[in-house]
Amino acid sequence: MLALMKSLMNSIFGKIIVMIIIAGMAFWGADSAWTTMSTGLGSNLAAAGPRGIDLTTLDRRVENLLRNLNANSEKPITKAEAADQGIVDQVFELEKAKIVNLGYAGAIGVKPSTNAVVEQLKTVDAFKNPLTGELDLNTYREVLYQNRFTKEEYEQQVSDDLTLKTLGEAASAAIYPPQILASIQALYIGETRDVSWFILDASEAPEPDAPTDEEIRAFYDENLTALEQPERRAIDMLRVSADDFLADVTVTEQEIATIYEATKSERFSEPDQRTYIELYFADRDTARAAFGLLAGGADPAGLPGVLSSETKTGYRESVSDTALADAMFGPGKQSGALFGPREVDDRWLVARLVSVQRGAVFPIETVSEEIRDELARERAQVLFFEKLDTLDRSIGAGYPLAQIASELPVPVMSFAPVDQTGMTEDGVTITGLTQARDAFSDAFRINAGDVSARFDGEEAVYLTSPRAIIAPSTPEFDTIKNDIRQTLVAQREANAMQSYADSVVEKLKSGETTLTAAATAADTVVESPSVPVTRITAEESGLPSPAINAIFSGSEGDVYSYPNRSGDMFMIVQLNTIAPPSDAALEVLGTQATASLNQSLRDDIRFATDAEIRNAIKLNVNDNAIVAYKKSIATEQ
């Protein structure tokens, strides 16, 4: 192979071939290896000092963020959408800022001790043993495994968080503003603004002239591009879920009875009442000794060192301590179950379950349909997963959507033409179609009759196929003439109401009228806030945010107007007077002003510290690698 390359390089033709190969490698991203070597980043996307972030870590950060964002979202965001919306870039920027600070900390030797990391782990409730309330290594490992973290990765993350906290706190520790600044701040936040307003009904404005046919035509001709209807597609959709196979499963009465008998005490009965005894001890060692004696069958009444004891009977909901409730009311807990020792209000608690009073069992007739439905859905889910194999084979064979549906069999749903937002020409959004998400988006990238890629939603699998493609077009003038007329009428009415409000404001500013007279003319009354408006109380004044900003940057006598959302009512606001706070108010505001300045100073110092850190340590970034990563996300989707 080397001999061949050498011989090629000896000819003009060979050199051209090699140049084409090199250009192709660059086009397909093979130049990233050269970039990596030249930047010294190795496998990292970015690095500062001894710290860096690689592609795997960034990808995990992005996935964790999306998992949290999508947990309660009606419209989850895909990784490809996150890249398009700049979320991936934002995560990368945060990570770069983080490694710069960590790199600087490493360079100056700031690192938390192992004991500090362990103490931090002890504060995480998820890692605690439900009986003892202390850090439990088995629980710790299990929680990390469920969240796809290794022990080393998580502990490094905890260490990093402690390091960043130390850097931030060290920079702003023991910072206090001078008294003169606190006094100025108190004057600033305590300054009062006396304001009044009334609500102007702008619908009383003179009615504007109706648009003529010539004006409507002129508007049409001047706005042809804006009036163009987007491309729309008539889409067929296949939605496959376990519900489609419920009719294909059978649940017998014997199966229902078997499930009922096996689970009736846990699932189909009134809540249990349980009796347990709480024993309190002065110290941990005494409590541990008592725990051991109870485990050996000792009588609680004869335990040494008991400060107090209380026997309680109740339902699980009556126990506010989650760990205690789990220990006394958890599934399978029997008389003799123990809890503790747990520190509670400077004492140590040990609890023992004394007895279980079972709740009344519901008759099978009242729960049989619930059991039947559960069993049917479980079996339908099994059928659903089996049908997915059939679905994939049909997709792989290149079948049209109708044939794929018949193989399952599941009906095809057909929708009226929609644009890429899922909206019809009439302005109706077809949510049933947009739920297909990536499959819906695919329908605008493929030809009519083709089948989209499969999209797996939370409860269903989707495929789409465009039935017809309607090209972008501008409606004929006669078709939308009335719509344009309504638009122009609405515009003129809005402008007339705004002009009406502006005229009132101008009269107030010029002194032609007073606020009271203007309110009387508008058949309304002047209102004022119930408390003086300061920068502290402004949010409680009832004024809109833009008005608050205006009155604290304005002068005495200024007048402003603010429309409501529909634009037919205006708040006319006048700034009457500006007054400094009284001596009594200044005394009260002193502490608040100092706290406000403290926070501002800390923020400023932290900002300055971050800038100095950025200057002190170099950040290297592999821009090509991050671009390639975002492209790979789009390809995966």
Side-chain angles (χ1 to χ4, degrees), residues 142-400:
E142 183 178 348
V143 172
L144 293 187
Y145 175 77
Q146 291 171 352
N147 288 276
R148 294 184 287 180
F149 272 107
T150 66
K151 180 173 173 289
E152 291 74 19
E153 288 170 343
Y154 184 77
E155 289 174 7
Q156 182 63 59
Q157 183 171 306
V158 172
S159 176
D160 290 348
D161 290 343
L162 291 173
T163 300
L164 295 172
K165 182 181 179 184
T166 300
L167 280 180
E169 292 178 348
S172 58
I175 298 295
Y176 302 100
Q179 185 57 44
I180 188 170
L181 280 182
S183 299
I184 294 172
Q185 180 73 359
L187 285 170
Y188 175 75
I189 64 177
E191 181 185 72
T192 59
R193 306 266 166 152
D194 177 34
V195 295
S196 303
W197 67 82
F198 70 89
I199 304 302
L200 176 69
D201 183 358
S203 64
E204 298 297 325
E207 188 172 337
D209 295 333
T212 64
D213 289 344
E214 291 74 18
E215 289 171 330
I216 295 172
R217 180 71 204 201
F219 181 91
Y220 175 83
D221 292 336
E222 292 167 5
N223 294 275
L224 289 175
T225 302
L227 293 170
E228 183 180 77
Q229 291 290 315
E231 176 188 290
R232 285 190 169 86
R233 298 196 172 198
I235 298 173
D236 293 335
M237 184 179 77
L238 184 64
R239 181 187 186 277
V240 188
S241 71
D243 289 349
D244 293 309
F245 308 105
L246 283 172
D248 298 330
V249 299
T250 303
V251 177
T252 66
E253 296 300 325
Q254 181 58 49
E255 289 170 330
I256 294 172
T258 301
I259 296 293
Y260 174 77
E261 291 298 329
T263 61
K264 62 183 180 182
S265 59
E266 291 83 14
R267 295 183 55 199
F268 305 116
S269 64
E270 297 284 356
D272 292 345
Q273 271 196 328
R274 305 205 175 184
T275 300
Y276 59 97
I277 185 169
E278 293 182 351
L279 305 162
Y280 289 92
F281 301 86
D283 55 72
R284 183 178 181 179
D285 291 339
T286 305
R288 279 186 166 180
F291 186 96
L293 292 172
L294 289 171
D299 184 350
L303 293 175
V306 177
L307 296 178
S308 64
S309 64
E310 182 179 1
T311 300
K312 296 182 177 180
T313 299
Y315 298 105
R316 182 188 181 102
E317 293 74 17
S318 64
V319 184
S320 58
D321 187 325
T322 303
L324 176 61
D326 289 341
M328 298 293 101
F329 290 85
K333 298 296 183 181
Q334 300 294 329
S335 299
L338 297 174
F339 169 80
R342 163 75 72 83
E343 188 175 14
V344 178
D345 297 332
D346 298 324
R347 298 185 301 168
W348 289 85
L349 166 67
V350 173
R352 181 185 183 186
L353 180 58
V354 177
S355 63
V356 179
Q357 296 87 49
R358 299 294 183 189
V361 177
F362 301 134
I364 189 172
E365 295 80 15
T366 63
V367 297
S368 61
E369 287 307 312
E370 179 183 344
I371 298 173
R372 186 189 308 278
D373 183 67
E374 287 181 3
L375 285 175
R377 290 188 177 279
E378 287 178 7
R379 292 173 184 179
Q381 193 71 33
V382 173
L383 276 177
F384 169 62
F385 286 122
E386 291 175 356
K387 292 292 186 178
L388 289 183
D389 292 334
T390 303
L391 179 68
D392 289 338
R393 285 195 299 271
S394 298
I395 295 172
Y399 292 162

Side-chain angles (χ1 to χ4, degrees), residues 187-191 193 533-539 551-553:
L187 285 170
Y188 175 75
I189 64 177
E191 181 185 72
R193 306 266 166 152
V533 180
T534 68
R535 288 178 171 86
I536 299 172
T537 63
E539 296 295 334
I551 65 172
F552 282 104
S553 60

Side-chain angles (χ1 to χ4, degrees), residues 572-604:
I572 309 298
V573 183
Q574 185 171 58
L575 173 55
N576 302 318
T577 59
I578 303 173
S582 65
D583 292 340
L586 284 175
E587 289 184 15
V588 175
L589 290 169
T591 303
Q592 195 166 3
T594 301
S596 174
L597 270 181
N598 273 337
Q599 187 59 50
S600 296
L601 285 173
R602 289 191 183 101
D603 291 343
D604 290 344

Side-chain angles (χ1 to χ4, degrees), residues 496-554:
M497 289 188 287
Q498 182 65 59
S499 297
Y500 181 57
D502 290 344
S503 67
V504 173
V505 170
E506 287 304 317
K507 290 178 181 178
L508 289 167
K509 285 182 177 180
S510 66
E512 182 181 337
T513 187
T514 65
L515 194 71
T516 301
T520 302
D523 196 23
T524 185
V525 295
V526 174
E527 300 178 60
S528 297
S530 57
V531 294
V533 180
T534 68
R535 288 178 171 86
I536 299 172
T537 63
E539 296 295 334
E540 305 166 11
S541 66
L543 292 167
S545 296
I548 292 173
N549 295 334
I551 65 172
F552 282 104
S553 60

